[in-house]
Amino acid sequence: MDHSIPARSRKKIWLGFFILFVSWYLLLYLIDWSPLPGFASVSHHQPNSVVYLGSDYSQNVSLMSHVNDTSKNATVYAEKEEKSVKISSTEFEGLRNELEPKVQQDDDKYAEKDQEKRAKSGRKSNSCTGRYIYVHDLPSKFNNDLLKQCKLLNKWTDMCQYFLNMGLGPALGNPQRMFLSKGWFVTDQFSLEVIFHNRMKQYECLTNDSTRATAIYVPYYAGLDIARHLWDSHNISVRDSDALDLVKWLREKPEWNAMGGMDHFLVAGRITWDFRRVIDEDNAWGNKLMLLSESQNMTILTIESSPWNKNDFGIPYPTYFHPSSDDQVFQWQNKMRQQKRRTLFTFAGAPRPNIEDSIRSEIMEQCTASRRKCRLLECKNGRNKCIKPVHIMKMFQNSIFCLQPPGDSFTRRSTFDSILAGCIPVFFSPASAYVQYLWNLPTDYTTYSILIPEDDVKQKNVRIEHVLSRIPRKKVSEMREEVIKLIPKVIYADPRARLKTVEDAFDLTIKGVLERVEKLRREIREGRNSSIDFDQENSWKYYTFGTTQEHEWDHFFLRTNRARY
Ligand SMILES: *[C@@H]1O[C@H](CO)[C@@H](O)[C@H](O)[C@H]1NC(C)=O
Ligand SMILES: *[C@@H]1O[C@H](CO)[C@@H](O)[C@H](O)[C@H]1NC(C)=O
Ligand SMILES: *[C@@H]1O[C@H](CO)[C@@H](O)[C@H](O)[C@H]1NC(C)=O
Ligand SMILES: *[C@@H]1O[C@H](CO)[C@@H](O)[C@H](O)[C@H]1NC(C)=O
Ligand SMILES: *[C@@H]1O[C@H](CO)[C@@H](O)[C@H](O)[C@H]1NC(C)=O
Ligand SMILES: *[C@@H]1O[C@H](CO)[C@@H](O)[C@H](O)[C@H]1NC(C)=O
Ligand SMILES: *[C@@H]1O[C@H](CO)[C@@H](O)[C@H](O)[C@H]1NC(C)=O
């Protein structure tokens, strides 16, 4: 047989083999197989830096994709030069301002992609460049001493139990098999500053060299401080004294001088109105922490921010769930996906007879009138089911929608309990969430919630049951899936553990703060001041939409009751 093949054909066969071999070689080594399942082991051989470069690339792409051709060059230029050279093009800066909200959105998209990538590579980004945080070593009277006086912090409740487990409170266990065997705690809604501080102690990019830090954290327990005096002390100088001591202490530190405190941030675990006493009269509410001139420069994170002020930013209330592994998060999400929901809507709360324009009693009436379609948990006195996590969570898990009307103020912890339970929140004012939790909730509120304007309820123009039962089944399940996807973004993981791929509310907050401080730093360098770009009264609009143009929500934000807000 051999002899029957001419020499030329034999050469051709060898050439064929050679080409096959080369192509096989190229296929194996030059193409990144990692996106294909089953080829993960190949990517493991790559050094970490390759994985990192990979996500870096997608960042550039996504940063560029939102701009059209004219501005592409400018964006790339800015991204590259930011660290080393001062940007000189004022024309470009104007453009950037216009694009800011869009950039934000695209960054969010990027964050999602990035998270997927990290989930695949099984680790979070390892570079601390631009993420270093310096923590002030405050005198203990501003934090730890308050924990030691836990019995005196609240007139009615012994707060000591709530500081167990690094501020998470006592372990909840798994009563009625409602929760998971781990990760659940009886957490007080005002414990955030303690939880946040403990999370910060584990933050992966801490530095002792403040000149290297992008931002500076002030671990002052502002809410625990003022809670001691809210009901007892009618002496404003007593109420203000710690806040005044704090800013005095801060100003004497060299770190303050670098940016006049504009790189400083602190967490106040109570609503903003507890720190905004406008008049100096003993019977006025709260202290004036957030009104001090030093506080105007700092970024203050709080569970409810003021729509009319620019120095505070809303971050989620703590819930009962504080997972210590990614798996606990995924398990919980799946559990909520499979949950049978027999009630159309639910309301847990108390009427507010003392607040003239409160819609709560109307809501409770409507709920009662809707009979089996609505479940009502009326919170009349302190010792009832309302403060038992198991009752609240059971109701929310069995319900399709959860009503979140304003109470004493715009926001409620209940909003986050409802998201956690996969129950679609129904709001009555955009001030309750949409202009508050910009770093944690999607810009498009229609994807995960319902807005029924409070005036319509007050004037009895709508029946809540009708609005909710008319939403198509498909739309409802899409919304619920969005809500369930939000769960990781609104919970605070256990400070004693570290999640691998999931970004929680703490991670998103830190990202938001670092971005904001970096923007302020850039402005100072360029001699600009974006704070004069908009009237403080329009902060809600500027921060949410990047513009102060007329908006359909304007009527929600008329300041009708200045005594309250
Ligand atoms: C490109 O961007 C400029 C400036 O933002 C804008 O005026 C223009 O309409 C955009 N063009 C397209 C095709 O999107
Ligand atoms: C982008 O920059 C390149 C080189 O600097 C230039 O040739 C090109 O025209 C620019 N593109 C636009 C759309 O300005
Ligand atoms: C992405 O941008 C960074 C920072 O400007 C740069 O170092 C890197 O080379 C870019 N990556 C790609 C793939 O363009
Ligand atoms: C900062 O200094 C303290 C005390 O010297 C030390 O315990 C801590 O580990 C240092 N932290 C970092 C991030 O270097
Ligand atoms: C308030 O407290 C301060 C400090 O304890 C005291 O000096 C002052 O007299 C008090 N004022 C009133 C009105 O009681
Ligand atoms: C606030 O920051 C500005 C700019 O850095 C600075 O000029 C001003 O003194 C700061 N205010 C206070 C009270 O430190
Ligand atoms: C920016 O302007 C505001 C209002 O005029 C002023 O209070 C603030 O100190 C300015 N900030 C800087 C960094 O100059």
Side-chain angles (χ1 to χ4, degrees), residues 51-63:
V51 176
Y52 180 67
L53 269 181
S55 56
D56 211 6
Y57 175 69
S58 69
Q59 178 173 19
N60 294 2
V61 170
S62 76
L63 274 170

Side-chain angles (χ1 to χ4, degrees), residues 302-537:
T302 171
I303 51 179
E304 172 171 332
S305 66
S306 159
W308 305 289
N309 293 95
K310 51 183 136 194
N311 58 334
D312 56 354
F313 294 83
I315 60 174
Y317 286 65
T319 63
Y320 303 114
F321 185 38
H322 306 281
S324 47
S325 72
D326 293 22
D327 202 46
Q328 282 172 14
V329 179
F330 304 144
Q331 258 184 317
W332 181 254
Q333 284 177 303
N334 284 335
K335 190 168 154 71
M336 289 308 97
R337 282 189 182 104
Q338 286 152 18
Q339 193 68 25
K340 280 213 173 61
R341 296 174 193 269
R342 296 193 169 87
T343 318
L344 180 64
F345 62 115
T346 287
F347 174 65
R352 289 287 187 278
N354 302 330
I355 298 176
E356 205 183 304
D357 54 357
S358 173
I359 58 168
R360 288 213 173 174
S361 29
E362 173 64 23
I363 280 176
M364 292 168 94
E365 272 166 34
Q366 287 208 21
C367 183
T368 313
S370 289
R371 300 171 140 251
R372 292 179 62 185
K373 292 250 175 90
C374 182
R375 279 203 61 193
L376 180 65
L377 181 56
E378 203 174 340
C379 308
K380 272 191 178 144
N381 45 45
R383 292 170 148 242
N384 62 20
K385 291 176 168 181
C386 286
I387 49 171
K388 293 234 171 78
V390 70
H391 290 290
I392 297 274
M393 290 303 288
K394 194 174 186 173
M395 277 180 67
F396 288 3
Q397 284 180 34
N398 284 322
S399 192
I400 299 171
F401 296 98
C402 289
L403 308 187
Q404 305 298 348
D408 298 324
S409 68
F410 296 123
T411 66
R412 314 177 70 201
R413 176 224 174 108
S414 177
T415 296
F416 300 99
D417 289 337
S418 108
I419 292 174
L420 184 58
C423 184
I424 301 164
V426 179
F427 297 109
F428 300 86
S429 163
S432 293
Y434 308 151
V435 305
Q436 294 279 348
Y437 309 106
L438 301 175
W439 297 328
N440 303 81
L441 299 179
T443 322
D444 185 358
Y445 69 91
T446 61
T447 59
Y448 72 95
S449 70
I450 302 289
L451 176 65
I452 302 177
E454 54 187 338
D455 283 345
D456 289 346
V457 177
K458 224 177 291 170
Q459 292 153 15
K460 302 185 197 283
N461 288 342
V462 293
R463 290 214 51 81
I464 297 167
E465 183 191 329
H466 290 173
V467 176
L468 299 181
S469 55
R470 273 181 205 158
I471 303 169
R473 209 173 258 259
K474 182 160 171 285
K475 172 76 180 155
V476 170
S477 53
E478 281 167 8
M479 287 173 85
R480 179 163 49 247
E481 181 54 27
E482 277 309 307
V483 169
I484 291 171
K485 277 195 200 144
L486 285 178
I487 292 174
K489 300 183 186 219
V490 301
I491 56 174
Y492 297 91
D494 191 324
R496 295 162 294 191
R498 193 170 274 181
L499 302 189
K500 286 202 175 70
T501 63
V502 171
E503 276 185 312
D504 73 345
F506 175 87
D507 295 323
L508 294 173
T509 302
I510 295 298
K511 256 191 189 171
V513 168
L514 293 173
E515 254 169 46
R516 173 173 155 80
V517 172
E518 208 38 69
K519 182 170 170 265
L520 295 172
R521 182 171 283 125
R522 210 158 50 218
E523 283 177 9
I524 291 181
R525 220 162 33 209
E526 290 156 17
R528 293 188 302 118
N529 185 351
S530 70
S531 137
I532 53 174
D533 288 356
F534 62 100
D535 179 0
Q536 167 132 291
E537 288 286 316

Side-chain angles (χ1 to χ4, degrees), residues 235 237-238 282:
N235 182 333
S237 57
V238 171
D282 283 348

Side-chain angles (χ1 to χ4, degrees), residues 68-71 95 98-99:
N68 60 30
D69 278 337
T70 23
S71 38
L95 187 63
E98 255 169 55
L99 291 169

